[in-house]
């Protein structure tokens, strides 16, 4: 592992204050040197064994400038094995294997995705996380977007836990804590020490294309309680939590992955609506707050997205809300943050705004080189750089990352999808089922036909039910087949998920048969206002197996729906 560890149990109490002394500048970016150019810096002075300097300060002093700059980055690495070469890594980073990228750029962490080939099965993932840690002189934050529900990067490896809006429908913050503890415990067993959750956005826009069911709901006070409980649950499990997306992404009709949303909340409106969940997360010691690529002109008239806004990151988050932990960007490959500046300048401006961790830069060599050059030129002061690295080291110390043992694949097998975890997840799903309309028609009687995108799975949970499955966007032929099948049924169940025109036609066609129609909504329940002709509606907020089992119980009368809508439906 290189230099010896100096981290002890004192890490939790011996800390170094972290300030923010960098100043914003509009000067043109300087050339972007490679990591090897940092070798020209003056020699380091390592504190003696008798120094009163804290262990974190000692580790900081032992880092080269190149290593410090590397700590600010959390890239995507490609491949399933730490030592296996990938053409994608070679094209992007100049070296083939994930381990070589870690050794070259000294990143503070990495983020895992199935689409980058990182996640195949439990033994493979444990070997990957252990191998990446072995390659890094400073232990890594290894993160994943495992929000549950709509955003579940680890798929079937982990317990199917309902997503945030389903938990919001239960009205019980203890469910948020339980869900986070389940997920956190399983992530930790895999060697993943950071979950980019919970979502702290208050979703008040029915047309929000990117948050929706990822939010706990539309009531700031209720969302705040859920977020606070989730942070506690992740900490119970020993993993870091990240509240997102600051200053709030719940009132937008634009997806920041593809555009730049503008939210015109006044300062007073922001404090009333958006701030409470973040304030609650901070009160529970949340490890990371992730910024949003949104413009809030009433909070910063410069037009800069929050990720690049010193008024928002330093002014609101740090000074106003009193947050002293790590600030991370949302993914820097998203269009919302790339509208005005190039990928090199975006990285520099984010640091100047007060950000500590730069997530998923689309061009790591360019971004790394730009930040390194900015430090050498003085545009980013060395004190400003040290403040960010110190915050990152404190996070790693607090969550045990600096002293963690390698993950054990046998332990992981015992923990993942355990009977206890699945039982607790099912209890949450059962409590979430909400009867939006026609509860008195339950349980359903007679021969049941289930159609829609989850038809086969749900029908298999209902004794004797038939199915007429469709794609997410039903074709004309699929709708016709469902209409024919409905003629042989006494009642029809239509599963819907973010219903568009085609699913609306499916529901209308089922209603036209004259048979009673029950809609089972698998996503944000706003879709129910876009559908017509149904007699009964259940909201599940999630399409996982636990939620479908809960729906089956409600449909056959073994469960009485007890959930409450956590959002308003027009």
């Amino acid at each position: 592992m290189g230099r010896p560890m100096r981290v002890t149990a004192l890490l939790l109490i011996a800390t170094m204050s972290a300030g923010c002394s960098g100043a914003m500048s509009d000067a043109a970016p300087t050339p972007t040197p490679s990591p090897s150019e940092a070798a020209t810096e003056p020699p380091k002075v390592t504190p003696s064994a008798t120094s009163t300097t804290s262990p974190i300060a000692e580790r900081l002093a032992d880092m080269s400038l190149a290593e410090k700059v590397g700590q600010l980055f959390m890239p995507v690495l490609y491949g399933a094995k730490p030592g296996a070469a990938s053409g994608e890594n070679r094209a992007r980073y100049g070296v083939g294997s994930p381990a070589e990228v870690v050794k070259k750029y000294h990143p503070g962490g990495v983020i895992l995705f199935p689409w980058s080939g990182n996640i195949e099965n439990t033994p493979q993932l444990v070997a990957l996380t252990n191998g990446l840690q072995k390659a890094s002189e400073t232990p890594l934050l290894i993160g994943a977007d495992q929000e549950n529900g709509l955003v579940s990067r680890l798929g079937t490896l982990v317990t199917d836990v309902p997503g945030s809006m389903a938990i919001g429908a239960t009205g019980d913050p203890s469910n948020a804590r339980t869900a986070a503890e389940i997920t956190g415990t399983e992530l930790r067993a895999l060697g993943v020490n950071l979950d980019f959750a919970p979502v702290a956005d208050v979703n008040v826009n029915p047309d929000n294309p990117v948050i929706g069911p990822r939010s706990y709901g539309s009531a700031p006070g209720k969302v705040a309680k859920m977020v606070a409980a989730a942070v506690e649950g992740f900490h119970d499990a020993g993993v870091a939590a990240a509240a997102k997306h600051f200053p709030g992404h719940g009132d937008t009709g634009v997806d920041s992955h593809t555009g730049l949303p503008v939210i015109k909340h006044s300062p007073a409106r922001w404090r009333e609506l958006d701030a409470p969940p973040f304030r609650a997360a901070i009160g529970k010691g949340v490890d990371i707050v992730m910024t949003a690529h949104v413009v809030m002109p009433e909070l910063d008239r410069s037009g800069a997205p929050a990720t690049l806004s010193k008024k928002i990151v330093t002014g609101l988050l740090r000074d106003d809300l009193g947050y002293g932990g790590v600030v991370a960007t949302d993914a820097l490959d998203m269009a919302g943050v790339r509208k005005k500046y190039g990928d090199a300048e975006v990285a520099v401006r984010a640091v100047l705004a007060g950000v500590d961790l730069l997530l998923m830069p689309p061009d790591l060599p360019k971004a790394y080189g730009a930040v390194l050059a900015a430090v050498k030129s003085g545009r980013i002061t060395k004190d400003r750089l040290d403040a960010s690295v110190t915050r990152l080291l404190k996070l790693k110390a607090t969550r045990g990352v600096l002293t963690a043992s390698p993950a054990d694949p046998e332990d992981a097998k015992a923990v993942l999808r355990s009977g206890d975890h699945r039982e607790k997840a099912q209890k949450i799903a059962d409590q979430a089922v909400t009867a939006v309309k026609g509860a008195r028609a339950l349980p359903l009687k007679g021969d049941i036909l289930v159609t829609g995108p989850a038809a086969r799975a749900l029908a298999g949970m209902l004794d004797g039910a038939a199915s007429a499955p469709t794609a997410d966007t039903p074709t004309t032929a699929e709708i016709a087949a469902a209409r024919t099948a409905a003629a042989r049924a006494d009642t029809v169940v239509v599963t819907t998920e973010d219903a568009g025109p085609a699913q609306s036609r499916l529901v209308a066609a089922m209603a036209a048969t004259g048979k009673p129609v029950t809609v089972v909504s698998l996503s944000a329940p706003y879709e129910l206002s876009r559908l017509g002709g149904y007699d009964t509606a259940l909201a599940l907020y999630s399409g996982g197996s636990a939620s479908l089992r809960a729906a089956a119980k409600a449909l056959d009368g073994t469960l009485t729906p007890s959930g409450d809508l956590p959002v308003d439906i027009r």
Side-chain angles (χ1 to χ4, degrees):
M1 290 290 291
R3 65 176 62 89
M5 297 285 188
R6 294 190 176 87
V7 182
T8 68
L10 292 174
L11 285 171
L12 298 181
I13 55 176
T15 58
M16 175 181 177
S17 61
C20 183
S21 57
M24 181 68 80
S25 168
D26 291 323
T30 51
T32 55
S34 68
S36 61
E37 292 186 46
T40 60
E41 65 183 275
K44 302 182 294 293
V45 178
T46 303
S48 68
T50 58
S51 170
T52 59
T53 306
S54 77
I56 289 175
E58 288 183 25
R59 182 178 281 274
L60 180 73
D62 208 26
M63 287 182 177
S64 68
L65 179 59
E67 290 171 321
K68 290 179 181 179
V69 171
Q71 287 296 297
L72 306 188
F73 290 92
M74 180 175 267
V76 177
L77 307 181
Y78 292 82
K81 297 179 180 179
S86 159
E88 194 73 32
N89 288 329
R90 195 169 301 282
R92 290 174 178 270
Y93 309 125
V95 291
S97 73
E100 288 174 313
V101 179
V102 168
K103 290 177 180 179
K104 179 176 181 179
Y105 285 99
H106 325 288
V110 299
I111 183 169
L112 307 175
F113 289 97
W115 52 258
S116 59
N118 302 146
I119 301 166
E120 294 180 350
N121 55 59
T122 297
Q124 168 271 322
L125 185 52
V126 169
L128 175 62
T129 58
N130 285 341
L132 292 174
Q133 293 290 18
K134 186 177 180 179
S136 182
E137 294 207 17
T138 300
L140 297 161
L141 291 171
I142 299 183
D145 281 321
Q146 187 60 32
E147 298 172 12
N148 297 318
L150 185 64
V151 178
S152 299
R153 307 300 188 197
L154 297 179
T156 58
L157 296 190
V158 297
T159 298
D160 169 40
V161 179
S164 296
M165 193 166 282
I167 295 171
T170 73
D172 186 352
S174 71
N175 285 331
R177 184 167 185 166
T178 297
E181 185 176 7
I182 289 170
T183 298
T185 299
E186 297 190 3
L187 292 183
R188 188 174 179 85
L190 291 165
V192 178
N193 50 44
L194 163 64
D195 195 352
F196 282 107
V199 172
D201 303 311
V202 180
N203 201 89
V204 294
N205 190 333
D207 298 321
N208 195 323
V210 66
I211 304 300
R214 298 167 64 193
S215 166
Y216 288 105
S218 61
K222 292 180 180 179
V223 173
K225 290 178 181 178
M226 294 291 179
V227 167
V231 172
E232 290 180 315
F234 285 119
H235 290 173
D236 291 341
V239 301
K244 58 188 186 185
H245 310 79
F246 189 84
H249 210 316
D251 190 12
T252 173
V254 175
D255 185 345
S256 53
H257 291 84
T258 57
L260 181 57
V262 177
I263 301 174
K264 298 181 180 180
H265 288 180
S266 68
R269 176 66 169 160
W270 175 79
R271 292 180 192 283
E272 173 190 18
L273 178 70
D274 300 296
F278 291 101
R279 194 183 298 275
I282 292 167
K284 293 299 182 181
V286 72
D287 307 275
I288 292 176
V289 172
M290 177 186 282
T291 62
H293 305 326
V294 301
V295 172
M296 284 197 175
E298 297 300 315
L299 303 183
D300 181 355
R301 297 187 182 280
S302 72
T307 297
L308 308 182
S309 168
K310 190 169 185 178
K311 285 187 176 181
I312 291 175
V313 175
T314 299
L316 279 185
L317 180 54
R318 293 213 186 277
D319 297 341
D320 191 345
L321 298 187
Y323 180 61
V326 170
V327 177
T329 70
D330 203 344
L332 292 179
D333 62 355
M334 294 164 61
V337 78
R338 303 175 74 189
K339 288 288 186 181
K340 187 173 181 180
Y341 303 106
D343 294 330
E345 181 68 1
V346 162
V348 173
R349 286 182 176 257
V351 175
L352 291 172
V355 166
D356 306 302
L357 188 62
L358 302 165
L359 180 64
M360 297 171 61
D363 189 328
L364 176 61
K366 182 181 291 184
Y368 176 98
V371 173
L372 181 60
V375 175
K376 288 184 173 182
S377 72
R379 186 181 178 198
I380 297 173
T381 69
K382 291 187 177 180
D383 284 347
R384 172 68 192 85
L385 173 64
D386 285 353
S388 282
V389 178
T390 298
R391 282 190 281 265
L392 287 160
L393 291 174
K394 286 174 65 178
L395 184 164
K396 293 179 180 183
T398 300
R399 296 296 152 228
V401 175
L402 295 178
T403 54
S405 300
D408 185 323
E410 293 304 314
D411 289 346
K413 288 180 183 178
V415 170
L416 268 58
R417 303 185 74 252
S418 69
D420 177 60
H421 286 180
R422 286 185 282 114
E423 182 179 344
K424 289 176 178 177
Q426 189 62 57
K427 182 179 177 181
I428 294 171
D430 289 351
Q431 293 177 19
V433 180
T434 305
V436 180
K437 180 183 179 182
R440 292 183 179 180
L442 300 175
L444 301 183
K445 297 177 176 62
D447 293 332
I448 301 171
L449 172 74
V450 186
T451 187
R456 187 172 285 113
L458 181 55
M461 299 172 184
L462 291 166
D463 188 26
S467 67
T470 74
D472 290 342
T473 301
T475 65
T476 300
E478 287 172 336
I479 293 173
R483 186 187 299 114
T484 299
R488 300 187 294 271
D490 297 308
T491 186
V492 178
V493 176
V494 186
T495 58
T496 61
E497 187 167 10
D498 194 24
Q503 288 189 7
S504 297
R505 289 194 293 272
L506 174 64
V507 173
M510 296 302 96
T513 65
K515 304 297 175 71
V517 174
T518 297
V519 170
V520 176
S521 170
L522 310 180
S523 186
Y526 304 117
E527 65 178 352
L528 294 174
S529 66
R530 300 193 291 270
L531 302 172
Y534 56 84
D535 304 285
T536 305
L538 296 179
L540 305 186
Y541 317 96
S542 187
S545 57
S547 296
L548 290 175
R549 278 191 293 271
K553 293 178 186 180
L555 294 172
D556 70 15
T558 57
L559 178 152
T560 299
S562 61
D564 290 316
L565 279 173
V567 294
D568 296 325
I569 298 179
R570 293 170 181 168

